[in-house]
Amino acid sequence: QKEVEQDPGPLSVPEGAIVSLNCTYSNSAFQYFMWYRQYSRKGPELLMYTYSSGNKEDGRFTAQVDKSSKYISLFIRDSQPSDSATYLCAIPINNAGNMLTFGGGTRLMVKP
Amino acid sequence: DAEITQSPRHKITETGRQVTLACHQTWNHNNMFWYRQDLGHGLRLIHYSYGVQDTNKGEVSDGYSVSRSNTEDLPLTLESAASSQTSVYFCASSESLGSGNTIYFGEGSWLTVV
């Protein structure tokens, strides 16, 4: 079983829609959870990270962690065409927090 | 601005040849990583280094090697390129801080082995 699972999509939505991106993970000891955004032919860039359970909001983006279900989500409100990218969840698997295991990524397309 | 650069950005090579992908960062980060990204597998860790003269194997290290002679550079070498190593390769770096610190990625190197 992979440590982090993610639906590859693609997910196509109209501009202005609320987008929900999700990952499941296998190890209940994981504490930090990250979301990276990757534009086509570019390297991933950190979008948000959360610690333990709960929500974290940053502008139109909300990251949510449900540790009881081992489920993490990224919500995008009022989605824009510029949000079209691949979104990868990532979890540090060592105590230093600098070795990441990634989900396979979900490709999002926001149509104007 | 500090950055992380990879070269070459695109390369086509033949099976059996030795290939080196360069990675250079100007953040003075201790930690450096090489990942490969393939459809269906996401990003997988090849090798990593926590400082000068330190190298460690990741999840998919067979057929690859790295060396760390200074803080700024972590070159990735494919000893004898195979078609299975056709992929996009990303170098990354981070500070030596606790969990939650940002890992910065380069722009990627597209390698095709024919």
Side-chain angles (χ1 to χ4, degrees), chain A residues 26-47:
Chain A
S26 59
N27 191 332
S28 58
F30 291 151
Q31 296 281 0
Y32 276 90
F33 306 91
M34 300 174 169
W35 284 96
Y36 278 78
R37 177 175 61 194
Q38 184 177 22
Y39 290 114
S40 180
R41 304 191 71 77
K42 297 288 188 181
E45 55 180 349
L46 181 65
L47 189 59

mmCIF file of all heavy atoms in Angstrom, chain A residues 26-47:
data_model
loop_
_atom_site.group_PDB
_atom_site.id
_atom_site.type_symbol
_atom_site.label_atom_id
_atom_site.label_comp_id
_atom_site.label_asym_id
_atom_site.label_seq_id
_atom_site.Cartn_x
_atom_site.Cartn_y
_atom_site.Cartn_z
ATOM 1 N N SER A 26 -1.618 6.425 4.944
ATOM 2 C CA SER A 26 -1.709 5.136 5.641
ATOM 3 C C SER A 26 -1.174 5.166 7.065
ATOM 4 O O SER A 26 -1.600 4.363 7.909
ATOM 5 C CB SER A 26 -0.943 4.070 4.841
ATOM 6 O OG SER A 26 0.410 4.454 4.694
ATOM 7 N N ASN A 27 -0.254 6.065 7.383
ATOM 8 C CA ASN A 27 0.426 6.026 8.675
ATOM 9 C C ASN A 27 -0.175 7.053 9.629
ATOM 10 O O ASN A 27 -0.074 8.257 9.406
ATOM 11 C CB ASN A 27 1.921 6.312 8.481
ATOM 12 C CG ASN A 27 2.733 6.039 9.726
ATOM 13 O OD1 ASN A 27 2.227 6.127 10.839
ATOM 14 N ND2 ASN A 27 3.991 5.710 9.549
ATOM 15 N N SER A 28 -0.795 6.574 10.686
ATOM 16 C CA SER A 28 -1.467 7.476 11.628
ATOM 17 C C SER A 28 -0.480 8.347 12.407
ATOM 18 O O SER A 28 -0.884 9.294 13.079
ATOM 19 C CB SER A 28 -2.325 6.664 12.604
ATOM 20 O OG SER A 28 -1.523 5.728 13.301
ATOM 21 N N ALA A 29 0.824 8.057 12.325
ATOM 22 C CA ALA A 29 1.819 8.860 13.042
ATOM 23 C C ALA A 29 2.164 10.164 12.319
ATOM 24 O O ALA A 29 2.794 11.040 12.898
ATOM 25 C CB ALA A 29 3.085 8.041 13.248
ATOM 26 N N PHE A 30 1.779 10.271 11.064
ATOM 27 C CA PHE A 30 2.088 11.492 10.315
ATOM 28 C C PHE A 30 1.452 12.698 10.998
ATOM 29 O O PHE A 30 0.299 12.657 11.425
ATOM 30 C CB PHE A 30 1.594 11.388 8.876
ATOM 31 C CG PHE A 30 2.343 10.391 8.037
ATOM 32 C CD1 PHE A 30 1.706 9.752 6.983
ATOM 33 C CD2 PHE A 30 3.679 10.108 8.278
ATOM 34 C CE1 PHE A 30 2.386 8.826 6.192
ATOM 35 C CE2 PHE A 30 4.363 9.185 7.489
ATOM 36 C CZ PHE A 30 3.717 8.538 6.449
ATOM 37 N N GLN A 31 2.217 13.806 11.074
ATOM 38 C CA GLN A 31 1.751 14.993 11.787
ATOM 39 C C GLN A 31 1.611 16.213 10.885
ATOM 40 O O GLN A 31 0.784 17.075 11.127
ATOM 41 C CB GLN A 31 2.721 15.328 12.924
ATOM 42 C CG GLN A 31 2.806 14.280 14.010
ATOM 43 C CD GLN A 31 1.637 14.363 14.970
ATOM 44 O OE1 GLN A 31 0.747 15.205 14.837
ATOM 45 N NE2 GLN A 31 1.604 13.486 15.947
ATOM 46 N N TYR A 32 2.508 16.327 9.890
ATOM 47 C CA TYR A 32 2.487 17.491 9.003
ATOM 48 C C TYR A 32 1.973 17.072 7.643
ATOM 49 O O TYR A 32 2.266 15.975 7.160
ATOM 50 C CB TYR A 32 3.899 18.065 8.833
ATOM 51 C CG TYR A 32 4.318 19.011 9.929
ATOM 52 C CD1 TYR A 32 4.963 18.540 11.064
ATOM 53 C CD2 TYR A 32 4.056 20.370 9.836
ATOM 54 C CE1 TYR A 32 5.339 19.396 12.067
ATOM 55 C CE2 TYR A 32 4.434 21.239 10.834
ATOM 56 C CZ TYR A 32 5.085 20.745 11.951
ATOM 57 O OH TYR A 32 5.452 21.594 12.947
ATOM 58 N N PHE A 33 1.233 17.995 7.045
ATOM 59 C CA PHE A 33 0.635 17.695 5.753
ATOM 60 C C PHE A 33 0.785 18.920 4.859
ATOM 61 O O PHE A 33 0.512 20.040 5.290
ATOM 62 C CB PHE A 33 -0.847 17.332 5.927
ATOM 63 C CG PHE A 33 -1.037 16.228 6.932
ATOM 64 C CD1 PHE A 33 -1.252 16.524 8.267
ATOM 65 C CD2 PHE A 33 -0.974 14.905 6.536
ATOM 66 C CE1 PHE A 33 -1.403 15.504 9.209
ATOM 67 C CE2 PHE A 33 -1.134 13.882 7.469
ATOM 68 C CZ PHE A 33 -1.342 14.182 8.802
ATOM 69 N N MET A 34 1.222 18.678 3.641
ATOM 70 C CA MET A 34 1.524 19.791 2.747
ATOM 71 C C MET A 34 0.793 19.635 1.425
ATOM 72 O O MET A 34 0.478 18.519 1.000
ATOM 73 C CB MET A 34 3.031 19.823 2.458
ATOM 74 C CG MET A 34 3.890 20.001 3.691
ATOM 75 S SD MET A 34 5.636 19.863 3.280
ATOM 76 C CE MET A 34 6.369 20.418 4.797
ATOM 77 N N TRP A 35 0.551 20.760 0.822
ATOM 78 C CA TRP A 35 0.023 20.785 -0.548
ATOM 79 C C TRP A 35 0.995 21.572 -1.423
ATOM 80 O O TRP A 35 1.373 22.697 -1.084
ATOM 81 C CB TRP A 35 -1.357 21.423 -0.600
ATOM 82 C CG TRP A 35 -2.424 20.516 -0.092
ATOM 83 C CD1 TRP A 35 -2.954 20.481 1.171
ATOM 84 C CD2 TRP A 35 -3.094 19.486 -0.833
ATOM 85 N NE1 TRP A 35 -3.913 19.493 1.252
ATOM 86 C CE2 TRP A 35 -4.022 18.870 0.042
ATOM 87 C CE3 TRP A 35 -3.011 19.019 -2.143
ATOM 88 C CZ2 TRP A 35 -4.850 17.818 -0.357
ATOM 89 C CZ3 TRP A 35 -3.831 17.981 -2.536
ATOM 90 C CH2 TRP A 35 -4.740 17.387 -1.646
ATOM 91 N N TYR A 36 1.387 20.950 -2.534
ATOM 92 C CA TYR A 36 2.218 21.596 -3.525
ATOM 93 C C TYR A 36 1.404 21.801 -4.793
ATOM 94 O O TYR A 36 0.545 20.995 -5.145
ATOM 95 C CB TYR A 36 3.449 20.738 -3.854
ATOM 96 C CG TYR A 36 4.592 20.885 -2.881
ATOM 97 C CD1 TYR A 36 4.562 20.253 -1.640
ATOM 98 C CD2 TYR A 36 5.694 21.673 -3.192
ATOM 99 C CE1 TYR A 36 5.611 20.399 -0.745
ATOM 100 C CE2 TYR A 36 6.746 21.822 -2.303
ATOM 101 C CZ TYR A 36 6.702 21.186 -1.086
ATOM 102 O OH TYR A 36 7.736 21.337 -0.200
ATOM 103 N N ARG A 37 1.700 22.881 -5.486
ATOM 104 C CA ARG A 37 1.082 23.162 -6.781
ATOM 105 C C ARG A 37 2.178 23.092 -7.831
ATOM 106 O O ARG A 37 3.275 23.618 -7.650
ATOM 107 C CB ARG A 37 0.435 24.556 -6.767
ATOM 108 C CG ARG A 37 -0.187 24.990 -8.082
ATOM 109 C CD ARG A 37 -0.895 26.317 -7.905
ATOM 110 N NE ARG A 37 0.034 27.366 -7.496
ATOM 111 C CZ ARG A 37 -0.351 28.535 -7.015
ATOM 112 N NH1 ARG A 37 -1.635 28.813 -6.858
ATOM 113 N NH2 ARG A 37 0.552 29.438 -6.670
ATOM 114 N N GLN A 38 1.864 22.454 -8.944
ATOM 115 C CA GLN A 38 2.844 22.302 -10.015
ATOM 116 C C GLN A 38 2.215 22.697 -11.340
ATOM 117 O O GLN A 38 1.319 22.016 -11.843
ATOM 118 C CB GLN A 38 3.352 20.860 -10.077
ATOM 119 C CG GLN A 38 4.441 20.644 -11.102
ATOM 120 C CD GLN A 38 4.982 19.222 -11.097
ATOM 121 O OE1 GLN A 38 4.330 18.286 -10.649
ATOM 122 N NE2 GLN A 38 6.191 19.043 -11.588
ATOM 123 N N TYR A 39 2.703 23.783 -11.897
ATOM 124 C CA TYR A 39 2.264 24.183 -13.228
ATOM 125 C C TYR A 39 2.987 23.335 -14.263
ATOM 126 O O TYR A 39 4.054 22.780 -14.005
ATOM 127 C CB TYR A 39 2.528 25.665 -13.463
ATOM 128 C CG TYR A 39 1.646 26.578 -12.647
ATOM 129 C CD1 TYR A 39 2.171 27.403 -11.658
ATOM 130 C CD2 TYR A 39 0.263 26.620 -12.865
ATOM 131 C CE1 TYR A 39 1.359 28.241 -10.902
ATOM 132 C CE2 TYR A 39 -0.554 27.456 -12.114
ATOM 133 C CZ TYR A 39 -0.004 28.253 -11.138
ATOM 134 O OH TYR A 39 -0.815 29.076 -10.393
ATOM 135 N N SER A 40 2.396 23.282 -15.458
ATOM 136 C CA SER A 40 2.929 22.437 -16.520
ATOM 137 C C SER A 40 4.386 22.789 -16.814
ATOM 138 O O SER A 40 4.737 23.963 -16.971
ATOM 139 C CB SER A 40 2.082 22.606 -17.780
ATOM 140 O OG SER A 40 2.568 21.809 -18.817
ATOM 141 N N ARG A 41 5.228 21.786 -16.837
ATOM 142 C CA ARG A 41 6.649 21.903 -17.158
ATOM 143 C C ARG A 41 7.419 22.795 -16.174
ATOM 144 O O ARG A 41 8.422 23.408 -16.527
ATOM 145 C CB ARG A 41 6.839 22.387 -18.596
ATOM 146 C CG ARG A 41 6.140 21.493 -19.613
ATOM 147 C CD ARG A 41 6.516 21.799 -21.032
ATOM 148 N NE ARG A 41 7.879 21.384 -21.333
ATOM 149 C CZ ARG A 41 8.253 20.147 -21.567
ATOM 150 N NH1 ARG A 41 7.371 19.148 -21.521
ATOM 151 N NH2 ARG A 41 9.504 19.860 -21.857
ATOM 152 N N LYS A 42 6.925 22.814 -14.922
ATOM 153 C CA LYS A 42 7.594 23.558 -13.859
ATOM 154 C C LYS A 42 7.802 22.641 -12.661
ATOM 155 O O LYS A 42 7.220 21.555 -12.584
ATOM 156 C CB LYS A 42 6.754 24.760 -13.427
ATOM 157 C CG LYS A 42 6.540 25.793 -14.509
ATOM 158 C CD LYS A 42 7.792 26.569 -14.792
ATOM 159 C CE LYS A 42 7.521 27.725 -15.740
ATOM 160 N NZ LYS A 42 8.760 28.486 -16.054
ATOM 161 N N GLY A 43 8.625 23.086 -11.712
ATOM 162 C CA GLY A 43 8.795 22.337 -10.484
ATOM 163 C C GLY A 43 7.666 22.618 -9.511
ATOM 164 O O GLY A 43 7.004 23.653 -9.595
ATOM 165 N N PRO A 44 7.404 21.692 -8.581
ATOM 166 C CA PRO A 44 6.368 21.938 -7.569
ATOM 167 C C PRO A 44 6.752 23.108 -6.668
ATOM 168 O O PRO A 44 7.929 23.344 -6.408
ATOM 169 C CB PRO A 44 6.344 20.621 -6.765
ATOM 170 C CG PRO A 44 7.037 19.611 -7.621
ATOM 171 C CD PRO A 44 8.031 20.370 -8.430
ATOM 172 N N GLU A 45 5.739 23.828 -6.175
ATOM 173 C CA GLU A 45 5.965 24.909 -5.225
ATOM 174 C C GLU A 45 4.996 24.729 -4.057
ATOM 175 O O GLU A 45 3.838 24.345 -4.247
ATOM 176 C CB GLU A 45 5.757 26.276 -5.879
ATOM 177 C CG GLU A 45 4.407 26.445 -6.528
ATOM 178 C CD GLU A 45 4.217 27.812 -7.167
ATOM 179 O OE1 GLU A 45 5.048 28.708 -6.937
ATOM 180 O OE2 GLU A 45 3.228 27.978 -7.896
ATOM 181 N N LEU A 46 5.484 24.990 -2.856
ATOM 182 C CA LEU A 46 4.663 24.805 -1.668
ATOM 183 C C LEU A 46 3.507 25.792 -1.657
ATOM 184 O O LEU A 46 3.699 27.003 -1.780
ATOM 185 C CB LEU A 46 5.514 24.977 -0.407
ATOM 186 C CG LEU A 46 4.774 24.780 0.912
ATOM 187 C CD1 LEU A 46 4.301 23.333 1.049
ATOM 188 C CD2 LEU A 46 5.662 25.164 2.095
ATOM 189 N N LEU A 47 2.310 25.254 -1.471
ATOM 190 C CA LEU A 47 1.105 26.085 -1.435
ATOM 191 C C LEU A 47 0.684 26.325 0.017
ATOM 192 O O LEU A 47 0.473 27.451 0.443
ATOM 193 C CB LEU A 47 -0.008 25.385 -2.203
ATOM 194 C CG LEU A 47 -1.282 26.140 -2.491
ATOM 195 C CD1 LEU A 47 -1.009 27.396 -3.306
ATOM 196 C CD2 LEU A 47 -2.275 25.238 -3.232
#
